[in-house]
Amino acid sequence: MSAAASVALTPPPAGVLAVPAGEAGTPSSNHGVKSHDRDEPRSRSGGEARGLWDYATLTVPRGALRSKDEFGEVVKRAHGADEDHETAKVLPSDILDWLLPGHALKADIFETKGWQGYKQSARIFAPGLADPVGIMARDGNADTICVSITGSGMFAVDLRRARLALEHYGARITRIDAAFDDLDGEFVALDLLRYDAVCGMFDGGNRPSSRSFVDDLGTGAGSALYVGRKGDKQLNAYEKGKQQGDRFSPWVRVEVRLWSKNRLLPLEMLDSPLGAILGAYPHLRQYLPEASPTRARTMRRQVEARAEDMTDWLRSAAGKSLGALRAAAKQAGATDSEVLDLLTRDGMPSRFVGIPEEVAIYRTAEFLQGAIQ
């Protein structure tokens, strides 16, 4: 093993939310990672199954934020005497605090930028990520306030903990996505799910669900199964690891997307993402285990796949050029590090969008350490 491979990795700062402290799990102190994301996977023989929330959109009547009850003192101080006038001055960060207690998100101020029928919107950010992970909107749609958070921001929110506050303010779920990751291909086989779909095992009622299958035809790009329709209810099972760039990855993700157009999405469902998956498609009970991976382990596998893809691309696209520069540098008395300093620039490649920079660097270092051995 080379000297570079023998150097111990330095973990990223403790404030980085989704980095496991050891082989699996997350830091013992809670820096915004919620309890359901920190649970260790359990055996098939015991324990409740836990999936991952991957997307959520909630609406709340604007008038509910002026209610005078146990939350009223905070709201009253924010609004003052002229409620209608002062409500417009309430900051998005205040609304996040009221609706999602314990979150680790940040938000811009409202701007006059329309979104989904609303006249004003504000971007939502998560720690360690430069790109927005969600949006808050107001002034429209029956005078409601809307909060929408993508999968990249869900690790900073505990929807189960927020449920009481959401119930208090009369919030409604208008869309929610739940996911289960079979990282090692132990439980879910895409071909079997495809066969079940053809046999109508995921249909509801008397009318067959729409279904399609995208076959990668052996290219390693990853195949995908779709059952149902966007805007209503949809099952999406796909080869997530291959999609991330690892052509030999066994990782399969099962996602269920639910919209409120034709059904009530009760706040009680926030207690269990896997319960939402199985409630929507009971046939999946024969496949999904009693325990699903933590979000931290899922993010680790994402980085590993993208790091390997990045290395393969760099070797193919610029390997010979780098080799020539390395040989020339050796004759010039320069080191490999000096050559890299000449070629690199600040920033992260687009393949790591949605992953905190410290996490991407730390996990890529782990990948390199294994690859160099």
Side-chain angles (χ1 to χ4, degrees):
M1 180 174 67
S2 68
S6 65
V7 177
L9 295 175
T10 302
V16 178
L17 301 185
V19 181
E23 188 65 17
T26 56
S28 58
S29 59
N30 187 353
H31 296 285
V33 181
K34 311 309 174 185
S35 59
H36 68 279
D37 285 334
R38 292 165 49 227
D39 291 342
E40 291 290 340
R42 284 163 284 183
S43 68
R44 292 175 63 89
S45 60
E48 179 189 358
R50 296 189 184 277
L52 301 170
W53 291 122
D54 201 50
Y55 191 96
T57 299
L58 308 160
T59 61
V60 60
R62 190 179 70 132
L65 298 179
R66 297 198 293 263
S67 61
K68 298 178 181 178
D69 41 35
E70 66 264 32
F71 295 89
E73 290 303 314
V74 177
V75 179
K76 188 175 181 181
R77 284 199 299 272
H79 292 174
D82 186 350
E83 289 184 339
D84 287 333
H85 175 69
E86 293 296 330
T87 296
K89 296 183 179 180
V90 175
L91 296 175
S93 56
D94 294 329
I95 298 174
L96 286 177
D97 290 343
W98 298 337
L99 298 181
L100 305 173
H103 71 88
L105 300 168
K106 296 182 180 180
D108 288 342
I109 62 173
F110 282 115
E111 297 182 354
T112 309
K113 292 183 179 180
W115 183 79
Q116 299 292 318
Y118 292 94
K119 295 181 181 179
Q120 297 184 4
S121 63
R123 298 178 301 173
I124 298 174
F125 295 87
L129 299 179
D131 295 321
V133 298
I135 193 167
M136 183 184 298
R138 70 177 184 187
D139 195 6
N141 292 329
D143 202 22
T144 57
I145 291 176
C146 179
V147 178
S148 186
I149 302 172
T150 67
S152 298
M154 292 307 297
F155 73 88
V157 177
D158 186 350
L159 289 179
R160 187 170 51 180
R161 179 181 176 186
R163 175 184 157 189
L164 291 178
L166 294 171
E167 289 178 345
H168 170 81
Y169 287 116
R172 292 178 58 248
I173 302 172
T174 60
R175 176 184 169 181
I176 194 140
D177 295 3
F180 170 82
D181 285 310
D182 185 5
L183 298 179
D184 300 313
E186 182 181 358
F187 305 104
V188 181
L190 196 58
D191 286 341
L192 285 178
L193 294 181
R194 178 186 183 183
Y195 177 80
D196 290 348
V198 172
C199 293
M201 303 305 293
F202 301 116
D203 294 346
N206 298 321
R207 190 169 65 179
S209 299
S210 62
R211 49 185 179 253
S212 62
F213 187 81
V214 180
D215 196 331
D216 70 357
L217 299 177
T219 63
S223 301
L225 169 70
Y226 298 89
V227 178
R229 302 188 308 274
K230 287 186 177 181
D232 183 18
K233 183 176 80 167
Q234 187 177 60
L235 168 66
N236 179 204
Y238 59 102
E239 294 172 312
K240 179 77 171 179
K242 292 180 179 179
Q243 183 198 69
Q244 298 291 321
D246 183 351
R247 290 168 292 180
F248 304 103
S249 172
W251 177 8
V252 175
R253 167 170 282 199
V254 177
E255 289 183 6
V256 168
R257 303 162 185 165
L258 300 170
W259 287 264
S260 62
K261 179 179 179 180
N262 295 316
R263 64 186 48 80
L264 174 66
L265 302 177
L267 293 172
E268 288 84 353
M269 71 189 305
L270 299 180
D271 290 341
S272 173
L274 191 56
I277 294 175
L278 299 178
Y281 294 98
H283 181 68
L284 290 172
R285 291 181 183 276
Q286 66 175 300
Y287 296 114
L288 303 191
E290 279 94 8
S292 62
T294 61
R295 182 169 291 277
R297 188 180 172 211
T298 298
M299 185 173 288
R300 175 180 182 176
R301 191 62 62 91
Q302 280 183 309
V303 176
E304 288 175 351
R306 297 180 191 186
E308 183 173 2
D309 184 50
M310 177 178 64
T311 305
D312 290 343
W313 171 82
L314 189 60
R315 183 188 300 112
S316 175
K320 292 182 179 180
S321 297
L322 290 173
L325 286 172
R326 187 180 191 185
K330 187 175 181 180
Q331 288 192 17
T335 64
D336 289 351
S337 178
E338 289 172 328
V339 173
L340 284 175
D341 288 341
L342 179 66
L343 298 175
T344 57
R345 54 193 176 97
D346 293 338
M348 296 293 290
S350 59
R351 69 185 72 241
F352 289 123
V353 168
I355 297 175
E357 182 174 341
E358 293 90 345
V359 177
I361 292 174
Y362 179 67
R363 292 303 177 196
T364 300
E366 281 193 330
F367 164 77
L368 288 175
Q369 191 175 57
I372 293 172
Q373 289 179 351

